[in-house]
Amino acid sequence: MVYQPAEDSYLLTDILKKELPGLINKNPDLRFLEIGAGSGIHLSTAEKTGVKKENIFSSDIDKNSVNHCNLLGYNCIKSDLFENITGKYNLIIFNPPYLPEESKEPIDSKMATTGGKRGDEIILKFLEQAKNHLENNGKIFLLASSSTPKINFENFGYKSKEIGCERLFYEQLCVWELVI
Ligand SMILES: C[S@@+](CC[C@H](N)C(=O)[O-])C[C@H]1O[C@@H](n2cnc3c(N)ncnc32)[C@H](O)[C@@H]1O
């Protein structure tokens, strides 16, 4: 199932619109990687904001999402997190599945929304792997929710700061900037 953009997607894309111009100003050849590209909303924001199309890379574990992003003209490969990703990037973004497991959730939407029994399992694996793919002074923008257990980024060797939050009536969403 291709995840249709929702509040989490819009928050992350707004942050990209705000942050990317400054990053591209410093590095016009910025290499951008999105894990879990879904509908491709952030790929198109990255392109419109000035990231060179040949420097936009992406992946998804869901083959329909990969096909969808390829049809939009983006480089997107099927990969479980960084399994098939090579190289290093200046900016890595991820709006992960972060909800705790819910027995009633249909299997096809589960892949896009459920992060594991507690909700943070995929995020924790991402944090372990992502640092191996960051260029010097590279950054990660990671979306997290108050529905997920609190994550200690420092335990994984990252310095962290919140760069944008939004309160929905049942949860708070925040985008974290992580650097090594
Ligand atoms: C919440 S959706 C976000 C989609 C899109 N980036 C957005 O912001 O609208 C999470 C995406 O991550 C993908 N995903 C889930 N587990 C993954 C994994 N282990 N590796 C790569 N992608 C994964 C899902 O298929 C889905 O497209």
Side-chain angles (χ1 to χ4, degrees):
M1 188 198 89
V2 178
Y3 182 80
Q4 291 311 299
E7 283 84 353
D8 48 356
S9 321
Y10 299 128
L11 174 62
L12 182 55
T13 233
D14 283 349
I15 301 268
L16 288 175
K17 285 181 193 158
K18 207 166 75 191
E19 300 286 332
L20 269 173
L23 295 175
I24 294 165
N25 208 13
K26 282 194 207 137
N27 176 8
D29 291 313
L30 178 137
R31 281 166 59 82
F32 174 99
L33 171 67
E34 176 169 23
I35 301 292
S39 67
I41 174 174
H42 308 307
L43 307 178
S44 127
T45 300
E47 186 182 7
K48 286 186 193 137
T49 320
V51 181
K52 293 177 183 164
K53 195 153 183 180
E54 67 267 27
N55 288 334
I56 299 178
F57 302 88
S58 63
S59 71
D60 206 291
I61 198 168
D62 169 52
K63 68 173 183 339
N64 293 321
S65 302
V66 172
N67 291 341
H68 176 80
C69 291
N70 289 155
L71 283 172
L72 294 175
Y74 294 108
N75 181 342
C76 187
I77 59 166
K78 187 169 183 311
S79 178
D80 178 357
L81 296 174
F82 290 88
E83 189 181 30
N84 300 319
I85 305 282
T86 54
K88 297 201 173 197
Y89 301 86
N90 305 103
L91 180 64
I92 301 176
I93 70 162
F94 191 25
N95 175 11
Y98 55 70
L99 294 176
E101 204 163 277
E102 237 289 0
S103 54
K104 290 188 209 108
E105 170 110 35
I107 288 191
D108 59 345
S109 62
K110 215 175 203 164
M111 201 189 276
T113 58
T114 302
K117 245 188 188 14
R118 293 185 312 267
D120 62 357
E121 288 87 336
I122 293 179
I123 298 175
L124 300 182
K125 279 194 209 156
F126 168 86
L127 292 172
E128 263 164 27
Q129 299 172 16
K131 52 189 160 200
N132 302 323
H133 294 274
L134 268 187
E135 284 283 7
N136 284 343
N137 304 318
K139 293 178 189 230
I140 294 172
F141 293 168
L142 174 70
L143 191 129
S145 156
S146 56
S147 310
T148 315
K150 196 164 166 37
I151 297 159
N152 188 334
F153 297 112
E154 283 67 23
N155 283 352
F156 291 86
Y158 297 100
K159 286 188 216 121
S160 62
K161 75 171 179 201
E162 271 178 13
I163 51 172
C165 289
E166 185 175 343
R167 172 148 284 290
L168 307 179
F169 87 107
Y170 53 94
E171 66 181 338
Q172 164 137 317
L173 300 175
C174 286
V175 175
W176 291 86
E177 180 187 285
L178 308 177
V179 297
I180 295 288

